[in-house]
Amino acid sequence: MFSGETESGVVQAMDSEEGDEENEEGEGADVIEFHPEFTYPIYGEHERIFGYKGLSINLNYAAGSLATYFNIKYTKRIEQMESTSAVALKADDIDTPMRQILADSVCATQSEFAQQVVRDTRVFRPSGRKVHEYAGRSSQTEQLRYEIYSSSFNDTESAKYHERMQAFVLFFIEGAQFIDTSDERWHVYTVFERLDMNGQTSYSLVGFSTVYNFYCWPDRKRARISQFLVLPPFQGQGHGSALYSYIHAMVLGSSDYADLSVEDPSEAFDDMRDRNDMRYLLKHNAFAHIKGACVEQSAISELQHKHKLSRRQMTRCIEMALLKMIKSVKSQEFGEFRLFVKRRIYAQNMDLLQALDPDERKQKVAESFASVVDGYRRVLSLL
């Protein structure tokens, strides 16, 4: 991802052969290099490309606008190599599969891309409506802030921006697919880094989330987070928590929404979500009336509706709160807690567990309980 003040600086950075994942600086340009976790949506399940020597595939983005330039470098193709085989070997097509997932507005040349980067570094501003901001580091010469924007596909500029941005979900979210942008119930939340330095403001994309609004009887909506991604250079800095917390706060603050759920969350997302939900619930004394593991279903429903979390998530948070209250695993309270959690595990996996013999069933439930408790303790240690 590139930003820059001069075209020559951007070109110099692009031509660099250092291949370092750290920030590389040419004169008048900054570049952050990172690599995809997945390429099977583009190049097949084995993630291999046949027929090239010294192959380098570069997908270049302007840091803010995501203006794109795609180029391929190699020293030889198999058609240029000597072979004793009677069968004519042909190199795989690299260009077509990649361009099928990119927006139509890909820059045709390196020079065109460099010009676009320099222009966008000066004038690009995020589309949509700014809904939140929070502070980053600052010094005498520069100040960083982070801004969250809300947008929908009814806005032409936001729709075009999403076309350039959506390729990231294939590279970093396992099993992800492009969403249907003709459906007006989608909302997109983007996070940008805003750098103010020497009287100039520039933006870089940090991450984004897509949220779908389902109908909830009789007259409300249910928000579901579908895709959620913080780009690798910005991970581990609290931006995922900031974005998730904003979305939850938005749902809490609107009478139109019944609750917030998440579609097929990863383990990393579950951890981040658990930490933020527990911090929020503890701050608001949500567990003040829970004194033991005999928590009635009506109490779970009351907390779920008040704090607008899914029933599954509210139950997990209650279990973590119960574990937090227990002083010893040898206590009666822990025994009651164990029974409470095991009943929930059994109910959620009834079809699978009933197919097992009684001894194996008990073992599987015990193993699941131990794994759940380990996970809860890890989350609680980070609060």
Side-chain angles (χ1 to χ4, degrees), residues 154-184:
N154 291 327
D155 177 62
T156 302
E157 287 304 312
S158 296
K160 288 180 179 179
Y161 191 82
H162 183 265
E163 285 181 12
R164 299 192 293 274
M165 183 173 67
Q166 66 181 348
F168 287 123
V169 304
L170 302 183
F171 293 131
F172 296 106
I173 303 178
E174 188 165 11
Q177 296 180 335
F178 290 166
I179 62 177
D180 178 10
T181 57
S182 66
D183 192 331
E184 295 181 354

Side-chain angles (χ1 to χ4, degrees), residues 29-195:
D30 297 309
V31 54
I32 301 175
E33 180 180 336
F34 53 96
H35 303 283
E37 291 185 25
F38 311 107
T39 57
Y40 62 83
I42 301 98
Y43 295 120
E45 60 178 330
H46 297 299
E47 299 183 309
R48 294 176 181 172
I49 297 173
F50 172 77
Y52 298 86
K53 185 176 181 180
L55 177 62
S56 174
I57 301 173
N58 298 297
L59 190 54
N60 308 283
Y61 286 99
S65 70
L66 300 186
T68 311
Y69 174 59
F70 172 55
N71 71 318
I72 305 162
K73 298 178 181 179
Y74 55 87
T75 54
K76 280 187 179 181
R77 285 175 60 117
I78 197 166
E79 294 92 335
Q80 302 166 335
M81 303 178 195
E82 294 183 5
S83 174
T84 58
S85 173
V87 179
L89 299 176
K90 185 177 181 182
D92 290 341
D93 181 4
I94 300 174
D95 190 80
T96 303
M98 182 66 77
R99 291 188 184 277
Q100 286 175 346
I101 70 161
L102 300 178
D104 293 334
S105 56
V106 176
C107 295
T109 65
Q110 186 184 66
S111 176
E112 179 188 350
F113 175 73
Q115 292 173 22
Q116 189 73 46
V117 167
V118 173
R119 180 164 56 250
D120 290 346
T121 299
R122 293 194 303 266
V123 304
F124 169 77
R125 297 296 180 265
S127 60
R129 178 172 61 93
K130 188 172 82 168
V131 292
H132 182 63
E133 69 175 276
Y134 54 100
R137 71 175 189 270
S138 61
S139 67
Q140 291 183 343
T141 58
E142 66 179 33
Q143 182 176 17
L144 284 177
R145 293 195 65 81
Y146 297 91
E147 301 178 348
I148 298 177
Y149 287 77
S150 169
S151 63
S152 71
F153 299 123
N154 291 327
D155 177 62
T156 302
E157 287 304 312
S158 296
K160 288 180 179 179
Y161 191 82
H162 183 265
E163 285 181 12
R164 299 192 293 274
M165 183 173 67
Q166 66 181 348
F168 287 123
V169 304
L170 302 183
F171 293 131
F172 296 106
I173 303 178
E174 188 165 11
Q177 296 180 335
F178 290 166
I179 62 177
D180 178 10
T181 57
S182 66
D183 192 331
E184 295 181 354
R185 288 174 290 185
W186 283 107
H187 245 77
V188 181
Y189 297 91
T190 46
V191 183
F192 287 89
E193 179 184 80
R194 187 188 80 208
L195 172 62

